[in-house]
Amino acid sequence: MEKVIIEESSQEEIHNFDFQTWREEDIDNYGEAVGWKEKSFVFKALLDGKIIGSATGAVQAGVIFLDALIVARECRKMGVGKMIMDKILDWSKPLNPHKIMLFTMSSWQACKFYRQLGFKKEGDLPNHYLKRPFIILAKYLKVTE
Ligand SMILES: CC(C)(COP(=O)(O)OP(=O)(O)OC[C@H]1O[C@@H](n2cnc3c(N)ncnc32)[C@H](O)[C@@H]1OP(=O)(O)O)[C@@H](O)C(=O)NCCC(=O)NCCS
């Protein structure tokens, strides 16, 4: 293995290798070829044409990962966060997700918002972003099949 060189690569360069090699691995591990295609989303909440909230994330293999969700300070507790969440769930329906999840800190006010919407703690991420303790919150969704 002395002749092996590790180099940075573009996604395009590794695409065919990954597709074929992971396919075999997935058949071994899941008993089928898996569609791992990720579909990302970006939503904004507008009030009189001005952005007052936003959300970003992605859906992959039935799991919505909510990367970031924020509402302008002066517009909080007026239902905007819930409206954004409803939009994400509505938009993702054709992908038939069974779960939505995110990382947050238990000390954040946002936890009350998520718990209000039915999210529950699924795990701990000690020493995570900025060496702080994060938690995993998740909610299970109705699936059509
Ligand atoms: C978390 C956040 C997006 C919530 O948005 P929001 O527009 O204020 O939330 P909503 O008004 O839609 O609230 C929905 C429900 O959650 C409750 N809720 C929201 N924030 C709450 C808080 N700080 N404390 C207690 N309950 C809260 C609301 O009372 C409401 O309950 P109801 O349906 O019984 O009335 C917003 O507080 C925020 O931007 N926080 C800073 C960024 C952040 O921490 N994002 C999450 C990162 S993981």
Side-chain angles (χ1 to χ4, degrees):
M1 285 295 164
E2 294 115 57
K3 288 188 181 151
V4 172
I5 298 163
I6 314 297
E7 285 183 350
E8 282 192 46
S9 171
S10 67
Q11 281 292 341
E12 290 73 34
E13 281 177 297
I14 62 168
H15 179 269
N16 288 347
F17 166 81
D18 271 21
F19 181 80
Q20 188 53 38
T21 318
W22 275 115
R23 193 173 188 279
E24 290 161 15
E25 219 54 44
D26 287 346
I27 289 167
D28 278 357
N29 294 325
Y30 301 104
E32 58 181 322
V34 182
W36 285 109
K37 219 170 213 179
E38 189 178 78
K39 194 161 181 207
S40 57
F41 60 82
V42 180
F43 287 111
K44 61 187 173 190
L46 293 169
L47 179 64
D48 296 330
K50 191 177 158 226
I51 297 177
I52 56 153
S54 66
T56 58
V59 186
Q60 191 178 44
V63 178
I64 306 171
F65 181 73
L66 182 56
D67 191 34
L69 166 66
I70 191 159
V71 170
R73 285 179 170 239
E74 66 277 15
C75 299
R76 288 181 192 167
K77 296 219 187 145
M78 293 157 72
V80 179
K82 185 173 183 314
M83 282 175 71
I84 297 174
M85 191 70 83
D86 287 345
K87 180 74 183 185
I88 294 167
L89 296 178
D90 200 44
W91 169 87
S92 64
K93 258 185 194 148
L95 303 167
N96 204 18
H98 63 278
K99 176 177 184 174
I100 178 164
M101 64 163 293
L102 57 103
F103 302 156
T104 189
M105 282 176 77
S106 54
S107 56
W108 290 7
Q109 287 289 313
C111 281
K112 292 178 183 156
F113 164 78
Y114 290 121
R115 286 186 198 280
Q116 187 70 19
L117 297 190
F119 284 74
K120 293 201 165 52
K121 183 177 163 183
E122 278 220 316
D124 288 296
L125 295 168
N127 212 351
H128 204 60
Y129 299 131
L130 300 170
K131 300 181 185 161
R132 308 287 168 87
F134 277 69
I135 55 171
I136 303 166
L137 292 183
K139 179 179 171 175
Y140 287 84
L141 308 167
K142 275 197 194 110
V143 288
T144 52
E145 73 214 32

mmCIF file of all heavy atoms in Angstrom, residues 54 66-73 75-84 102-105 108-117 134, ligand 1:
data_model
loop_
_atom_site.group_PDB
_atom_site.id
_atom_site.type_symbol
_atom_site.label_atom_id
_atom_site.label_comp_id
_atom_site.label_asym_id
_atom_site.label_seq_id
_atom_site.Cartn_x
_atom_site.Cartn_y
_atom_site.Cartn_z
ATOM 1 N N SER A 54 -36.385 31.739 8.868
ATOM 2 C CA SER A 54 -35.810 30.870 7.835
ATOM 3 C C SER A 54 -35.553 29.472 8.391
ATOM 4 O O SER A 54 -35.461 29.279 9.609
ATOM 5 C CB SER A 54 -34.492 31.452 7.311
ATOM 6 O OG SER A 54 -33.527 31.428 8.334
ATOM 7 N N LEU A 66 -33.301 18.771 10.249
ATOM 8 C CA LEU A 66 -33.498 20.218 10.316
ATOM 9 C C LEU A 66 -32.185 20.831 10.797
ATOM 10 O O LEU A 66 -31.794 20.689 11.946
ATOM 11 C CB LEU A 66 -34.654 20.531 11.281
ATOM 12 C CG LEU A 66 -35.035 21.993 11.450
ATOM 13 C CD1 LEU A 66 -35.383 22.654 10.124
ATOM 14 C CD2 LEU A 66 -36.200 22.113 12.418
ATOM 15 N N ASP A 67 -31.530 21.497 9.870
ATOM 16 C CA ASP A 67 -30.203 22.030 10.146
ATOM 17 C C ASP A 67 -30.296 23.318 10.970
ATOM 18 O O ASP A 67 -29.580 23.488 11.957
ATOM 19 C CB ASP A 67 -29.537 22.288 8.788
ATOM 20 C CG ASP A 67 -28.075 22.581 8.928
ATOM 21 O OD1 ASP A 67 -27.448 22.010 9.834
ATOM 22 O OD2 ASP A 67 -27.562 23.400 8.146
ATOM 23 N N ALA A 68 -31.164 24.232 10.542
ATOM 24 C CA ALA A 68 -31.299 25.514 11.236
ATOM 25 C C ALA A 68 -32.717 26.042 11.069
ATOM 26 O O ALA A 68 -33.305 25.906 10.001
ATOM 27 C CB ALA A 68 -30.301 26.509 10.667
ATOM 28 N N LEU A 69 -33.238 26.608 12.139
ATOM 29 C CA LEU A 69 -34.565 27.237 12.097
ATOM 30 C C LEU A 69 -34.495 28.461 12.992
ATOM 31 O O LEU A 69 -34.095 28.358 14.155
ATOM 32 C CB LEU A 69 -35.634 26.263 12.629
ATOM 33 C CG LEU A 69 -36.999 26.863 12.970
ATOM 34 C CD1 LEU A 69 -37.704 27.375 11.727
ATOM 35 C CD2 LEU A 69 -37.877 25.827 13.664
ATOM 36 N N ILE A 70 -34.833 29.617 12.453
ATOM 37 C CA ILE A 70 -34.777 30.833 13.271
ATOM 38 C C ILE A 70 -35.868 31.811 12.848
ATOM 39 O O ILE A 70 -36.199 31.918 11.661
ATOM 40 C CB ILE A 70 -33.369 31.484 13.228
ATOM 41 C CG1 ILE A 70 -33.255 32.584 14.283
ATOM 42 C CG2 ILE A 70 -33.028 32.004 11.812
ATOM 43 C CD1 ILE A 70 -31.818 32.930 14.667
ATOM 44 N N VAL A 71 -36.419 32.487 13.866
ATOM 45 C CA VAL A 71 -37.444 33.507 13.648
ATOM 46 C C VAL A 71 -36.901 34.814 14.245
ATOM 47 O O VAL A 71 -36.248 34.803 15.298
ATOM 48 C CB VAL A 71 -38.783 33.084 14.326
ATOM 49 C CG1 VAL A 71 -39.792 34.219 14.332
ATOM 50 C CG2 VAL A 71 -39.355 31.851 13.626
ATOM 51 N N ALA A 72 -37.159 35.918 13.582
ATOM 52 C CA ALA A 72 -36.703 37.228 14.080
ATOM 53 C C ALA A 72 -37.190 37.431 15.513
ATOM 54 O O ALA A 72 -38.329 37.078 15.842
ATOM 55 C CB ALA A 72 -37.246 38.331 13.170
ATOM 56 N N ARG A 73 -36.334 37.985 16.339
ATOM 57 C CA ARG A 73 -36.654 38.120 17.771
ATOM 58 C C ARG A 73 -38.003 38.789 18.023
ATOM 59 O O ARG A 73 -38.764 38.365 18.897
ATOM 60 C CB ARG A 73 -35.551 38.925 18.458
ATOM 61 C CG ARG A 73 -34.310 38.093 18.654
ATOM 62 C CD ARG A 73 -33.193 38.856 19.293
ATOM 63 N NE ARG A 73 -32.145 37.887 19.643
ATOM 64 C CZ ARG A 73 -31.696 37.702 20.872
ATOM 65 N NH1 ARG A 73 -32.162 38.412 21.859
ATOM 66 N NH2 ARG A 73 -30.765 36.794 21.099
ATOM 67 N N CYS A 75 -40.569 38.727 16.287
ATOM 68 C CA CYS A 75 -41.732 37.998 15.742
ATOM 69 C C CYS A 75 -41.935 36.639 16.403
ATOM 70 O O CYS A 75 -42.709 35.817 15.918
ATOM 71 C CB CYS A 75 -41.567 37.801 14.230
ATOM 72 S SG CYS A 75 -41.452 39.333 13.326
ATOM 73 N N ARG A 76 -41.232 36.395 17.502
ATOM 74 C CA ARG A 76 -41.347 35.067 18.136
ATOM 75 C C ARG A 76 -42.653 34.928 18.923
ATOM 76 O O ARG A 76 -43.276 35.919 19.275
ATOM 77 C CB ARG A 76 -40.140 34.820 19.053
ATOM 78 C CG ARG A 76 -38.890 34.589 18.217
ATOM 79 C CD ARG A 76 -37.649 34.316 19.028
ATOM 80 N NE ARG A 76 -36.499 34.396 18.127
ATOM 81 C CZ ARG A 76 -35.239 34.449 18.496
ATOM 82 N NH1 ARG A 76 -34.933 34.386 19.769
ATOM 83 N NH2 ARG A 76 -34.276 34.536 17.596
ATOM 84 N N LYS A 77 -43.014 33.674 19.171
ATOM 85 C CA LYS A 77 -44.235 33.309 19.906
ATOM 86 C C LYS A 77 -45.503 33.871 19.246
ATOM 87 O O LYS A 77 -46.469 34.234 19.912
ATOM 88 C CB LYS A 77 -44.133 33.758 21.369
ATOM 89 C CG LYS A 77 -43.029 33.049 22.116
ATOM 90 C CD LYS A 77 -43.441 32.723 23.517
ATOM 91 C CE LYS A 77 -42.296 32.166 24.302
ATOM 92 N NZ LYS A 77 -42.310 32.546 25.694
ATOM 93 N N MET A 78 -45.447 33.971 17.924
ATOM 94 C CA MET A 78 -46.628 34.415 17.173
ATOM 95 C C MET A 78 -47.048 33.350 16.170
ATOM 96 O O MET A 78 -47.851 33.607 15.281
ATOM 97 C CB MET A 78 -46.317 35.728 16.445
ATOM 98 C CG MET A 78 -46.102 36.903 17.404
ATOM 99 S SD MET A 78 -45.130 38.233 16.693
ATOM 100 C CE MET A 78 -46.259 38.916 15.571
ATOM 101 N N GLY A 79 -46.433 32.164 16.266
ATOM 102 C CA GLY A 79 -46.821 31.060 15.394
ATOM 103 C C GLY A 79 -45.992 30.895 14.128
ATOM 104 O O GLY A 79 -46.245 29.983 13.337
ATOM 105 N N VAL A 80 -44.979 31.770 13.941
ATOM 106 C CA VAL A 80 -44.199 31.707 12.695
ATOM 107 C C VAL A 80 -43.340 30.429 12.635
ATOM 108 O O VAL A 80 -43.280 29.753 11.601
ATOM 109 C CB VAL A 80 -43.293 32.960 12.533
ATOM 110 C CG1 VAL A 80 -42.473 32.882 11.257
ATOM 111 C CG2 VAL A 80 -44.143 34.225 12.545
ATOM 112 N N GLY A 81 -42.702 30.091 13.759
ATOM 113 C CA GLY A 81 -41.877 28.876 13.791
ATOM 114 C C GLY A 81 -42.700 27.646 13.431
ATOM 115 O O GLY A 81 -42.273 26.799 12.646
ATOM 116 N N LYS A 82 -43.900 27.578 13.996
ATOM 117 C CA LYS A 82 -44.777 26.432 13.700
ATOM 118 C C LYS A 82 -45.198 26.438 12.226
ATOM 119 O O LYS A 82 -45.265 25.384 11.587
ATOM 120 C CB LYS A 82 -45.999 26.451 14.620
ATOM 121 C CG LYS A 82 -46.857 25.224 14.439
ATOM 122 C CD LYS A 82 -47.969 25.130 15.451
ATOM 123 C CE LYS A 82 -48.779 23.864 15.291
ATOM 124 N NZ LYS A 82 -49.155 23.537 13.929
ATOM 125 N N MET A 83 -45.441 27.637 11.684
ATOM 126 C CA MET A 83 -45.813 27.727 10.259
ATOM 127 C C MET A 83 -44.677 27.205 9.367
ATOM 128 O O MET A 83 -44.912 26.497 8.386
ATOM 129 C CB MET A 83 -46.109 29.185 9.874
ATOM 130 C CG MET A 83 -47.470 29.681 10.305
ATOM 131 S SD MET A 83 -47.667 31.436 9.927
ATOM 132 C CE MET A 83 -47.795 31.363 8.136
ATOM 133 N N ILE A 84 -43.444 27.557 9.728
ATOM 134 C CA ILE A 84 -42.287 27.085 8.940
ATOM 135 C C ILE A 84 -42.189 25.558 9.037
ATOM 136 O O ILE A 84 -42.000 24.859 8.044
ATOM 137 C CB ILE A 84 -40.967 27.747 9.408
ATOM 138 C CG1 ILE A 84 -41.020 29.264 9.195
ATOM 139 C CG2 ILE A 84 -39.771 27.133 8.673
ATOM 140 C CD1 ILE A 84 -39.825 30.027 9.758
ATOM 141 N N LEU A 102 -33.188 16.844 14.761
ATOM 142 C CA LEU A 102 -32.300 18.011 14.814
ATOM 143 C C LEU A 102 -31.399 17.904 16.035
ATOM 144 O O LEU A 102 -31.650 17.094 16.930
ATOM 145 C CB LEU A 102 -33.147 19.294 14.906
ATOM 146 C CG LEU A 102 -34.099 19.344 16.096
ATOM 147 C CD1 LEU A 102 -33.584 20.231 17.200
ATOM 148 C CD2 LEU A 102 -35.455 19.783 15.629
ATOM 149 N N PHE A 103 -30.387 18.733 16.047
ATOM 150 C CA PHE A 103 -29.512 18.842 17.228
ATOM 151 C C PHE A 103 -29.784 20.195 17.885
ATOM 152 O O PHE A 103 -29.917 21.204 17.202
ATOM 153 C CB PHE A 103 -28.026 18.829 16.831
ATOM 154 C CG PHE A 103 -27.583 17.620 16.063
ATOM 155 C CD1 PHE A 103 -26.466 17.692 15.237
ATOM 156 C CD2 PHE A 103 -28.246 16.407 16.163
ATOM 157 C CE1 PHE A 103 -26.028 16.591 14.517
ATOM 158 C CE2 PHE A 103 -27.818 15.299 15.450
ATOM 159 C CZ PHE A 103 -26.706 15.401 14.629
ATOM 160 N N THR A 104 -29.835 20.199 19.202
ATOM 161 C CA THR A 104 -29.962 21.461 19.923
ATOM 162 C C THR A 104 -29.342 21.301 21.310
ATOM 163 O O THR A 104 -28.822 20.237 21.640
ATOM 164 C CB THR A 104 -31.448 21.901 20.011
ATOM 165 O OG1 THR A 104 -31.511 23.224 20.521
ATOM 166 C CG2 THR A 104 -32.279 20.976 20.870
ATOM 167 N N MET A 105 -29.368 22.370 22.105
ATOM 168 C CA MET A 105 -28.883 22.250 23.482
ATOM 169 C C MET A 105 -30.092 22.274 24.413
ATOM 170 O O MET A 105 -31.022 23.049 24.185
ATOM 171 C CB MET A 105 -27.939 23.411 23.814
ATOM 172 C CG MET A 105 -26.557 23.206 23.225
ATOM 173 S SD MET A 105 -25.497 24.616 23.528
ATOM 174 C CE MET A 105 -25.074 24.369 25.245
ATOM 175 N N TRP A 108 -31.469 25.595 25.700
ATOM 176 C CA TRP A 108 -32.055 26.607 24.806
ATOM 177 C C TRP A 108 -33.577 26.658 24.944
ATOM 178 O O TRP A 108 -34.240 25.626 25.086
ATOM 179 C CB TRP A 108 -31.712 26.301 23.348
ATOM 180 C CG TRP A 108 -30.280 26.499 22.992
ATOM 181 C CD1 TRP A 108 -29.261 26.778 23.844
ATOM 182 C CD2 TRP A 108 -29.704 26.416 21.679
ATOM 183 N NE1 TRP A 108 -28.081 26.868 23.141
ATOM 184 C CE2 TRP A 108 -28.327 26.658 21.816
ATOM 185 C CE3 TRP A 108 -30.223 26.163 20.407
ATOM 186 C CZ2 TRP A 108 -27.458 26.652 20.734
ATOM 187 C CZ3 TRP A 108 -29.361 26.149 19.328
ATOM 188 C CH2 TRP A 108 -27.994 26.406 19.486
ATOM 189 N N GLN A 109 -34.097 27.874 24.844
ATOM 190 C CA GLN A 109 -35.550 28.088 24.850
ATOM 191 C C GLN A 109 -36.227 27.279 23.747
ATOM 192 O O GLN A 109 -37.372 26.854 23.887
ATOM 193 C CB GLN A 109 -35.855 29.580 24.627
ATOM 194 C CG GLN A 109 -35.541 30.460 25.809
ATOM 195 C CD GLN A 109 -36.519 30.250 26.956
ATOM 196 O OE1 GLN A 109 -37.726 30.213 26.752
ATOM 197 N NE2 GLN A 109 -35.995 30.073 28.140
ATOM 198 N N ALA A 110 -35.504 27.079 22.639
ATOM 199 C CA ALA A 110 -36.057 26.374 21.479
ATOM 200 C C ALA A 110 -36.575 24.980 21.851
ATOM 201 O O ALA A 110 -37.508 24.477 21.219
ATOM 202 C CB ALA A 110 -34.998 26.261 20.387
ATOM 203 N N CYS A 111 -36.002 24.383 22.907
ATOM 204 C CA CYS A 111 -36.435 23.028 23.307
ATOM 205 C C CYS A 111 -37.914 23.025 23.665
ATOM 206 O O CYS A 111 -38.629 22.065 23.379
ATOM 207 C CB CYS A 111 -35.635 22.545 24.508
ATOM 208 S SG CYS A 111 -34.035 21.956 24.013
ATOM 209 N N LYS A 112 -38.358 24.121 24.299
ATOM 210 C CA LYS A 112 -39.781 24.205 24.689
ATOM 211 C C LYS A 112 -40.645 24.220 23.432
ATOM 212 O O LYS A 112 -41.716 23.618 23.395
ATOM 213 C CB LYS A 112 -40.017 25.454 25.537
ATOM 214 C CG LYS A 112 -39.339 25.362 26.881
ATOM 215 C CD LYS A 112 -39.540 26.610 27.705
ATOM 216 C CE LYS A 112 -38.774 26.494 29.020
ATOM 217 N NZ LYS A 112 -38.442 27.790 29.599
ATOM 218 N N PHE A 113 -40.179 24.949 22.436
ATOM 219 C CA PHE A 113 -40.889 25.004 21.146
ATOM 220 C C PHE A 113 -40.983 23.602 20.544
ATOM 221 O O PHE A 113 -42.068 23.138 20.172
ATOM 222 C CB PHE A 113 -40.134 25.963 20.210
ATOM 223 C CG PHE A 113 -40.477 25.860 18.760
ATOM 224 C CD1 PHE A 113 -41.637 26.429 18.248
ATOM 225 C CD2 PHE A 113 -39.611 25.210 17.866
ATOM 226 C CE1 PHE A 113 -41.941 26.346 16.891
ATOM 227 C CE2 PHE A 113 -39.911 25.125 16.515
ATOM 228 C CZ PHE A 113 -41.080 25.689 16.026
ATOM 229 N N TYR A 114 -39.850 22.908 20.478
ATOM 230 C CA TYR A 114 -39.852 21.571 19.863
ATOM 231 C C TYR A 114 -40.707 20.587 20.662
ATOM 232 O O TYR A 114 -41.436 19.781 20.078
ATOM 233 C CB TYR A 114 -38.421 21.049 19.717
ATOM 234 C CG TYR A 114 -37.634 21.793 18.672
ATOM 235 C CD1 TYR A 114 -36.452 22.461 18.993
ATOM 236 C CD2 TYR A 114 -38.068 21.840 17.347
ATOM 237 C CE1 TYR A 114 -35.729 23.146 18.028
ATOM 238 C CE2 TYR A 114 -37.357 22.530 16.379
ATOM 239 C CZ TYR A 114 -36.196 23.178 16.729
ATOM 240 O OH TYR A 114 -35.492 23.863 15.771
ATOM 241 N N ARG A 115 -40.612 20.663 21.970
ATOM 242 C CA ARG A 115 -41.421 19.739 22.788
ATOM 243 C C ARG A 115 -42.906 20.024 22.592
ATOM 244 O O ARG A 115 -43.725 19.112 22.546
ATOM 245 C CB ARG A 115 -41.005 19.821 24.258
ATOM 246 C CG ARG A 115 -39.661 19.131 24.488
ATOM 247 C CD ARG A 115 -39.287 19.066 25.953
ATOM 248 N NE ARG A 115 -37.865 18.808 26.114
ATOM 249 C CZ ARG A 115 -37.288 17.615 26.005
ATOM 250 N NH1 ARG A 115 -38.025 16.558 25.742
ATOM 251 N NH2 ARG A 115 -35.985 17.481 26.165
ATOM 252 N N GLN A 116 -43.220 21.291 22.479
ATOM 253 C CA GLN A 116 -44.616 21.695 22.216
ATOM 254 C C GLN A 116 -45.119 21.076 20.909
ATOM 255 O O GLN A 116 -46.280 20.716 20.777
ATOM 256 C CB GLN A 116 -44.671 23.225 22.137
ATOM 257 C CG GLN A 116 -46.056 23.818 22.035
ATOM 258 C CD GLN A 116 -46.841 23.667 23.333
ATOM 259 O OE1 GLN A 116 -46.282 23.453 24.396
ATOM 260 N NE2 GLN A 116 -48.154 23.716 23.222
ATOM 261 N N LEU A 117 -44.211 20.922 19.950
ATOM 262 C CA LEU A 117 -44.582 20.350 18.649
ATOM 263 C C LEU A 117 -44.468 18.817 18.631
ATOM 264 O O LEU A 117 -44.629 18.203 17.583
ATOM 265 C CB LEU A 117 -43.698 20.930 17.534
ATOM 266 C CG LEU A 117 -43.798 22.443 17.277
ATOM 267 C CD1 LEU A 117 -43.068 22.821 16.000
ATOM 268 C CD2 LEU A 117 -45.240 22.916 17.180
ATOM 269 N N PHE A 134 -24.800 18.795 23.278
ATOM 270 C CA PHE A 134 -26.036 18.899 22.503
ATOM 271 C C PHE A 134 -26.892 17.649 22.733
ATOM 272 O O PHE A 134 -26.416 16.646 23.251
ATOM 273 C CB PHE A 134 -25.728 19.057 21.003
ATOM 274 C CG PHE A 134 -25.435 20.482 20.617
ATOM 275 C CD1 PHE A 134 -24.269 21.105 21.037
ATOM 276 C CD2 PHE A 134 -26.326 21.212 19.846
ATOM 277 C CE1 PHE A 134 -24.002 22.417 20.700
ATOM 278 C CE2 PHE A 134 -26.062 22.526 19.500
ATOM 279 C CZ PHE A 134 -24.903 23.135 19.929
HETATM 280 C C1 LIG B 1 -37.347 28.285 18.329
HETATM 281 C C2 LIG B 1 -38.041 29.334 17.469
HETATM 282 C C3 LIG B 1 -37.742 29.083 15.999
HETATM 283 C C4 LIG B 1 -39.577 29.226 17.724
HETATM 284 O O1 LIG B 1 -40.247 30.100 16.816
HETATM 285 P P1 LIG B 1 -41.595 30.858 17.211
HETATM 286 O O2 LIG B 1 -42.117 31.504 15.992
HETATM 287 O O3 LIG B 1 -41.333 31.724 18.378
HETATM 288 O O4 LIG B 1 -42.516 29.642 17.675
HETATM 289 P P2 LIG B 1 -44.114 29.576 17.594
HETATM 290 O O5 LIG B 1 -44.670 30.925 17.920
HETATM 291 O O6 LIG B 1 -44.532 28.986 16.301
HETATM 292 O O7 LIG B 1 -44.425 28.568 18.786
HETATM 293 C C5 LIG B 1 -45.068 27.303 18.614
HETATM 294 C C6 LIG B 1 -45.373 26.772 19.995
HETATM 295 O O8 LIG B 1 -44.172 26.660 20.757
HETATM 296 C C7 LIG B 1 -44.262 27.455 21.938
HETATM 297 N N1 LIG B 1 -43.006 28.163 22.174
HETATM 298 C C8 LIG B 1 -42.245 28.789 21.262
HETATM 299 N N2 LIG B 1 -41.176 29.347 21.874
HETATM 300 C C9 LIG B 1 -41.308 29.063 23.192
HETATM 301 C C10 LIG B 1 -40.553 29.387 24.342
HETATM 302 N N3 LIG B 1 -39.426 30.110 24.259
HETATM 303 N N4 LIG B 1 -40.974 28.951 25.553
HETATM 304 C C11 LIG B 1 -42.108 28.226 25.671
HETATM 305 N N5 LIG B 1 -42.879 27.875 24.609
HETATM 306 C C12 LIG B 1 -42.482 28.311 23.399
HETATM 307 C C13 LIG B 1 -45.321 28.501 21.638
HETATM 308 O O9 LIG B 1 -45.898 28.984 22.804
HETATM 309 C C14 LIG B 1 -46.283 27.731 20.779
HETATM 310 O O10 LIG B 1 -47.150 26.941 21.579
HETATM 311 P P3 LIG B 1 -48.740 26.950 21.319
HETATM 312 O O11 LIG B 1 -48.916 26.255 19.987
HETATM 313 O O12 LIG B 1 -49.313 26.208 22.475
HETATM 314 O O13 LIG B 1 -49.137 28.391 21.253
HETATM 315 C C15 LIG B 1 -37.595 30.775 17.881
HETATM 316 O O14 LIG B 1 -37.763 30.927 19.266
HETATM 317 C C16 LIG B 1 -36.160 31.094 17.533
HETATM 318 O O15 LIG B 1 -35.871 31.567 16.419
HETATM 319 N N6 LIG B 1 -35.211 30.877 18.473
HETATM 320 C C17 LIG B 1 -33.794 31.209 18.250
HETATM 321 C C18 LIG B 1 -33.143 30.286 17.258
HETATM 322 C C19 LIG B 1 -33.150 28.847 17.723
HETATM 323 O O16 LIG B 1 -32.825 28.545 18.861
HETATM 324 N N7 LIG B 1 -33.518 27.966 16.796
HETATM 325 C C20 LIG B 1 -33.563 26.558 17.035
HETATM 326 C C21 LIG B 1 -32.220 26.003 16.799
HETATM 327 S S1 LIG B 1 -32.162 24.256 17.129
#
